[in-house]
Amino acid sequence: MIVPIQYVLLMFATQTVNTGTVLYNAYTQSVSVDLTGAPGNARSVSYVVNQGWQTDGATWAKVYAPNAALKPLLINPQ
């Protein structure tokens, strides 16, 4: 069963990535954002150069270190 959830992972690439390329690890710091129940289906995060993702401690966002494995972040086996 596939159940859609409102969850995104944001990451900037510091190198060229061809469309369709499978990535196993994050190139840079990334942030996951859970949009479930968000008013207007929107959340507010920002990125500050040399500091990284800013979430103001939101419980619906989590920042991951560079080189984090992407599979456990994006695939929920439940």
Side-chain angles (χ1 to χ4, degrees):
M1 176 170 73
I2 297 176
V3 178
I5 59 171
Q6 297 174 321
Y7 181 85
V8 295
L9 182 79
L10 305 172
M11 171 182 65
F12 291 111
T14 55
Q15 54 198 3
T16 302
V17 180
N18 293 326
T19 302
T21 301
V22 176
L23 301 177
Y24 294 96
N25 296 85
Y27 287 133
T28 60
Q29 185 187 64
S30 56
V31 62
S32 63
V33 179
D34 184 354
L35 296 167
T36 306
N41 207 28
R43 300 281 193 202
S44 180
V45 297
S46 59
Y47 186 84
V48 178
V49 176
N50 296 324
Q51 293 181 20
W53 292 100
Q54 307 295 303
T55 64
D56 296 328
T59 58
W60 43 258
K62 184 169 180 185
V63 176
Y64 297 96
N67 205 37
L70 296 175
K71 181 179 175 182
L73 303 181
L74 299 174
I75 297 175
N76 183 350
Q78 300 175 355

